[in-house]
Amino acid sequence: MFARSARWLARRRTLPTSARAVFGYYADSGEFDIGSLRLKRRVDEFVEQVVRDAFSEVEQAIASEFGYQYVSFEYDTKLLLPANLTLGYLYRHAEEADHRKAEEVTRLAVEALLDGDMRDAINDGEYEDFSVDFAADREDCKRVAKIAQGVLEKRVETEFANHPDQVKEAYDWAVGISEQHQSEDPHFRDLMQRARTGEETALSAVQREYKYATFDDEPALFTDEELSLPYLKTQYDRVGVIYDAMIEMYEHEGLPVEDEFRRSIVLSIIGAQVWLDDVDDYPADRTEGQLTPVTAEYLLNDSDSEAKQATIDISYEYLNRAKKQAKAADSTLTGIATEYIARDGDPSVLRS
């Protein structure tokens, strides 16, 4: 009876997505863990303080550069959720004495994720997410971005010195793979342009090199079944590897994390990339010739309606697997977060 009521509430679009995610996860899993909701507040407060501490130094540097006594700085990013979830997992599963160590690694992970995201934004000339409370033209925003990233980079390098060498090696390994994937962007753009003309060779290459690309060294994280998932290799290299390495950073500090939890994080972040970012960006990516799992499906399917449905099916394949792994790892927070991702997507922007 309670599951039916929860399922009914999860469908009420008058409720906030966060509430619908809680009810939806309970309806599917039978997990209604009020302790996890309290735990979320504790985790969010810690991570928010980490961001405030970092941005306080950024604000001082920007104020000095522009001749102000004080400025306010904000940076819009969606990349921190996995760090929140991992800290929550360790608060619950690690020994009490290890909680401080988990917080120290989370501080490093949050600042490293911010630094990496800022570097990517600067490389792409995207400055609109760097916000200050004074009038700033594009050149000013560019200066702000470089100052902010420079501060974060120095903080991260200082923090790495306080951790075992393997922690930085894991981070550098992930950054190298991610940058290699970015360097392949011109090739994928060329494939997309040729495939749009109906060129069979290009269409086959999109299928072989992008949708079902294979790893040179298969990550031990994935099962044989998961290794056959569409877009796993390209999206792991694009976003998943960063969070795989993040979990490895915790493990190098002696904080054990189950493979089920690690897998849930990586699968959910790949699902979120496709279902939220790539779906939302589809009109722009199509215009600009950017190959993503979504634009690829519109090349590989016979009709727009089939491409739309394939995109939905692929997204849910990742997200449903992530929820199952979250339950296996006893991480209600991760399950709810994945449910939130699933309910926050809007496929109405896709052609059908």
Side-chain angles (χ1 to χ4, degrees), residues 57 111 115 149-159:
E57 186 174 344
E111 295 194 9
D115 172 41
Q149 188 274 319
V151 169
L152 264 295
E153 183 176 11
K154 289 179 182 177
R155 289 178 65 93
V156 170
E157 290 300 322
T158 300
E159 280 293 317

Side-chain angles (χ1 to χ4, degrees), residues 149-265:
Q149 188 274 319
V151 169
L152 264 295
E153 183 176 11
K154 289 179 182 177
R155 289 178 65 93
V156 170
E157 290 300 322
T158 300
E159 280 293 317
F160 271 128
N162 299 323
H163 296 270
D165 291 344
Q166 297 97 317
V167 172
K168 188 172 189 303
E169 288 169 4
Y171 177 75
D172 289 343
W173 165 76
V175 169
I177 290 176
S178 180
E179 289 179 346
Q180 173 62 33
H181 177 78
Q182 290 178 349
S183 72
E184 296 171 346
D185 185 61
H187 171 64
F188 289 135
R189 284 178 180 270
D190 176 64
L191 280 184
M192 181 170 173
Q193 289 302 111
R194 289 161 47 205
R196 290 170 82 168
T197 68
E199 182 186 317
E200 287 297 331
T201 302
L203 286 167
S204 296
V206 170
Q207 182 93 354
R208 183 181 64 257
E209 299 177 24
Y210 196 76
K211 185 171 183 176
Y212 290 112
T214 57
F215 292 94
D216 292 332
D217 297 305
E218 294 178 351
L221 175 65
F222 300 116
T223 65
D224 289 342
E225 187 178 10
E226 287 161 351
L227 287 169
S228 67
L229 288 172
Y231 305 107
L232 180 69
K233 199 270 183 185
T234 49
Q235 303 315 297
Y236 177 81
D237 289 357
R238 182 184 180 192
V239 291
V241 68
I242 297 296
Y243 298 99
D244 196 2
M246 182 193 75
I247 301 295
E248 195 167 320
M249 289 163 62
Y250 287 93
E251 292 184 332
H252 284 312
E253 288 284 0
L255 297 165
V257 180
E258 295 175 85
D259 281 348
E260 289 84 359
F261 176 80
R262 186 170 181 168
R263 198 175 294 120
S264 72
I265 290 293

Side-chain angles (χ1 to χ4, degrees), residues 28 33 181 218 277 318:
D28 288 344
D33 184 355
H181 177 78
E218 294 178 351
D277 290 0
Y318 278 99

Side-chain angles (χ1 to χ4, degrees), residues 26-168:
Y26 170 67
D28 288 344
S29 68
E31 301 281 346
F32 193 83
D33 184 355
I34 194 67
S36 288
L37 302 182
R38 297 193 192 100
L39 188 62
K40 182 180 184 300
R41 287 195 291 271
R42 179 184 176 189
V43 169
D44 288 349
E45 287 172 2
F46 177 81
V47 172
E48 287 166 6
Q49 186 60 55
V50 169
V51 174
R52 282 196 297 271
D53 291 344
F55 285 4
S56 176
E57 186 174 344
V58 169
E59 288 168 344
Q60 293 173 25
I62 294 171
S64 176
E65 173 72 17
F66 284 86
Y68 292 102
Q69 187 172 5
Y70 172 78
V71 300
S72 175
F73 171 80
E74 294 182 1
Y75 180 71
D76 184 24
T77 183
K78 302 174 184 176
L79 293 182
L80 303 184
L81 178 61
N84 291 51
L85 296 174
T86 306
L87 180 59
Y89 171 86
L90 290 168
Y91 275 154
R92 171 162 285 186
H93 293 277
E95 297 291 336
E96 189 79 26
D98 285 332
H99 287 187
R100 174 61 69 86
K101 185 184 291 184
E103 290 175 348
E104 291 173 354
V105 181
T106 300
R107 180 178 295 277
L108 171 60
V110 166
E111 295 194 9
L113 289 169
L114 286 169
D115 172 41
D117 196 36
M118 288 181 179
R119 278 190 282 111
D120 288 344
I122 291 170
N123 289 339
D124 294 337
E126 298 173 351
Y127 308 116
E128 57 273 11
D129 291 334
F130 297 83
S131 302
V132 288
D133 62 346
F134 59 87
D137 59 21
R138 181 171 174 79
E139 281 304 309
D140 290 335
C141 289
K142 185 176 180 179
R143 287 169 63 196
V144 165
K146 290 186 175 181
I147 292 168
Q149 188 274 319
V151 169
L152 264 295
E153 183 176 11
K154 289 179 182 177
R155 289 178 65 93
V156 170
E157 290 300 322
T158 300
E159 280 293 317
F160 271 128
N162 299 323
H163 296 270
D165 291 344
Q166 297 97 317
V167 172
K168 188 172 189 303

